[in-house]
Every structure is written in C-alpha cells, then in structure tokens.
Amino acid sequence: MHSFMTGLARKMAMIGGLILSVLIILTCISITGRLLNGFFHSDLMEGIAPGFSKWMINLGVGPINGDFELVEAGVAFAIFAFLPLCQITAGHASVDILANSFSKRVNRFLRMVTEIVFAVVLVLIAVKLGDGMLSKLKNGETSFLLEFPVWWAYAASLVAAIVAAIVGTYMACIRTLEFFTGRIRIWDGVEAE
C-alpha cells in the first residue's frame, strides 16, 4: 500500500512539475514578447527601420494573450499536485527545538495529532474546492481574456486536492497505528529509533 501511495504522490508531483515548467516557459516567452513589442514600437526602431518594426508588430510579436490567466490556473494546480509528496515524505516545515526534548512516545503522539490535523484540513480543502467547482460550473463563469470556463481550473486542482486528501488520510492512519503499536511503519528520517 505504501509503495502505491508513494508512487501516486510522485506521479502527481511530476505532473505538477511539468505544468510548472510549461508555465515558466510561457512566462518567459510572454515577457520577451512584451519587451520586443515595446522595442519595435520605440522611436528608435521607428526611425531606423520603420518597415521592419511594422512587419514584426504585424507578425504578432508581443505578450501571450491571457498569460496571467494560464499561470493563475496552472500554479493553483501545481501547488495541490505537490502536497501529496510533501505529506508522504514528511516534507512540511517543522520546528523541533522543543520536540527534541520530549520522549519518543510524546513525539509519536505529536506526529499522530499533526497527521490527523493535516488529513482533516486536506479533506476540508478538497470538499470546499469541490463546492467551488460546482458553483463555477453552475454559473458558467469564464476567464476574462481567454474566456475558458473557470471550473476547468477548479476541476484540475480538485483532482490533485483529492489525491492529497487520500495520501493525508493514509498517513494519519499510519501514524495512529505507529502510536498505538509503538513500532514505526514508515521511516521518513524524522524520527530516529
């Protein structure tokens, strides 16, 4: 089961990384287009090579239309896509100054409570994201420039949020089992025996 959950979390992170990489390339192209468009509209280029400037502008050199809408939707998905891997590898930021002085049993209890809280929050986020998606689907809201249905971005994020909720619930069950049995089931480098 753990290898399945880890594989699922890694696949989601890879998809999130791919989307984020595409968004970075899209942003770089858009910024370059915006700079070139400004350059071709400048008095300098209009004076030196007016025909070339007009030709480049007519080719459509400029920013990508709706780039910020795509980045907004894609980054939301990427954030949710990275959560399962962060959850299953105990990759969340933690401050262990005080916890290091506690016994192993107290630390296992704290880990169990933390994982349960994470699971509850991830399930709540998925539920509310589902509600938001249904609301956007029902009212037919579209993005301003590209006019794509906003619910598409919600649906993509919802898939990743559901995977995060499943992985979070799985980890809460594992940490609860570890607390009550006293045996570590999944070694993640956080707790040393």
Side-chain angles (χ1 to χ4, degrees):
M1 179 68 135
H2 184 66
S3 60
F4 171 76
M5 289 292 185
T6 303
L8 182 62
R10 284 194 174 127
K11 283 182 181 98
M12 286 303 300
M14 284 187 232
I15 294 168
L18 178 66
I19 295 297
L20 205 53
S21 298
V22 168
L23 293 175
I24 290 168
I25 292 167
L26 173 93
T27 301
C28 290
I29 291 170
S30 188
I31 289 169
T32 303
R34 186 172 285 116
L35 289 171
L36 287 174
N37 186 278
F39 177 69
F40 292 130
H41 275 95
S42 71
D43 291 337
L44 175 68
M45 280 304 290
E46 290 290 332
I48 296 173
F52 180 71
S53 286
K54 186 172 176 118
W55 179 68
M56 290 300 287
I57 291 168
N58 288 339
L59 274 178
V61 172
I64 295 173
N65 189 33
D67 58 344
F68 63 91
E69 292 174 352
L70 295 172
V71 168
E72 181 180 24
V75 168
F77 169 78
I79 289 168
F80 286 111
F82 293 136
L83 277 175
L85 186 62
C86 192
Q87 191 66 29
I88 205 161
T89 60
H92 297 292
S94 65
V95 180
D96 297 330
I97 294 171
L98 186 60
N100 289 337
S101 64
F102 296 148
S103 68
K104 288 179 186 176
R105 182 119 175 107
V106 171
N107 278 325
R108 284 191 184 136
F109 175 76
L110 290 174
R111 288 197 75 193
M112 177 188 70
V113 169
T114 302
E115 292 289 350
I116 290 170
V117 169
F118 264 118
V120 168
V121 168
L122 290 171
V123 168
L124 181 64
I125 288 171
V127 167
K128 297 315 284 176
L129 198 52
D131 291 345
M133 184 203 72
L134 292 175
S135 172
K136 299 297 180 188
L137 178 63
K138 189 165 59 170
N139 71 22
E141 185 178 337
T142 61
S143 66
F144 182 67
L145 293 173
L146 297 178
E147 296 182 359
F148 68 84
V150 173
W151 74 267
W152 291 356
Y154 275 76
S157 295
L158 179 60
V159 169
I162 288 171
V163 172
I166 290 168
V167 170
T169 303
Y170 167 73
M171 289 307 296
C173 292
I174 292 294
R175 298 302 176 210
T176 302
L177 185 64
E178 287 178 353
F179 174 72
F180 286 109
T181 63
R183 289 187 12 232
I184 297 175
R185 304 274 176 183
I186 299 174
W187 290 91
D188 55 16
V190 174
E191 184 174 351
E193 192 72 23

